[in-house]
Amino acid sequence: MLLTLHNIAEQIRNYTALKCLSPTLENNIFRITEPVSVQISDGTIFDILPGWEYDGASVPWIGQPIFPKWGVYAYQSFVHDILYFTLYEKGQKFADMEHYRFGIATGVSQAQNKARYKFLRAWGWTAWNRSMHRPSDRAKANRLLTYINGIQCHQ
């Protein structure tokens, strides 16, 4: 399945996007259960194997009643996590803007989407830097990211 800015809303409506994102019972983690490809706005395609995990939107527990971690927000966070874990070459600001774009594509309200984007711009550097300084965390996530634009990442 290929998720793009142009088809993600339809995939959500048809529940096909949900089939590959399965919540686990441990620590509120979502685990990819079937191969999925994600195309971002610059045309780059990430191919991901089953087993890749992410934790939804990074929201402190006190803010979760207003800014939920899951629901429609999970998709923009999924794409954002891919870009952060890979330290995508276009940088943190591009990754944050991609989060915003996928929010629009998935129907997140304008107010909610803008607030989330502003939060990412103010605090996202902490997660970006953590990815830079914890190569073992990156390696764990990236071992299931098999191809970027058809080029094999790992043997």
Side-chain angles (χ1 to χ4, degrees):
M1 171 186 352
L2 176 65
L3 299 176
T4 70
L5 283 168
H6 305 291
N7 77 359
I8 194 163
E10 180 182 342
Q11 297 284 358
I12 292 169
R13 275 194 304 278
N14 295 334
Y15 299 105
T16 51
L18 293 174
K19 290 177 185 173
C20 72
L21 305 177
S22 172
T24 66
L25 298 176
E26 53 202 53
N27 304 322
N28 280 327
I29 300 292
F30 262 57
R31 184 173 291 130
I32 303 304
T33 58
E34 61 183 61
V36 64
S37 298
V38 176
Q39 183 176 32
I40 59 176
S41 65
D42 70 359
T44 300
I45 297 174
F46 295 90
D47 295 324
I48 301 159
L49 290 175
W52 201 87
E53 297 176 340
Y54 74 111
D55 62 356
S58 299
V59 179
W61 68 269
I62 197 159
Q64 289 179 19
I66 300 168
F67 300 104
K69 290 176 66 77
W70 303 107
V72 71
Y73 314 105
Y75 298 100
Q76 67 188 131
S77 299
F78 172 59
V79 172
H80 192 253
D81 279 6
I82 292 168
L83 298 176
Y84 265 50
F85 272 116
T86 61
L87 293 173
Y88 188 61
E89 63 191 23
K90 291 193 176 179
Q92 179 198 347
K93 187 172 184 177
F94 178 85
D96 294 348
M97 193 64 208
E98 206 63 8
H99 181 275
Y100 184 80
R101 289 182 189 112
F102 270 85
I104 292 169
T106 55
V108 174
S109 76
Q110 186 176 13
Q112 181 82 237
N113 207 24
K114 281 185 178 181
R116 286 171 182 269
Y117 177 75
K118 287 180 181 179
F119 181 85
L120 284 172
R121 293 306 305 142
W123 297 102
W125 62 271
T126 59
W128 185 266
N129 286 346
R130 191 169 47 247
S131 282
M132 275 198 300
H133 298 297
R134 291 189 185 164
S136 62
D137 289 354
R138 252 193 351 270
K140 180 182 172 188
N142 290 346
R143 70 185 166 80
L144 296 168
L145 181 69
T146 56
Y147 291 88
I148 300 176
N149 281 341
I151 299 169
Q152 189 167 6
C153 300
H154 309 284
Q155 295 288 339

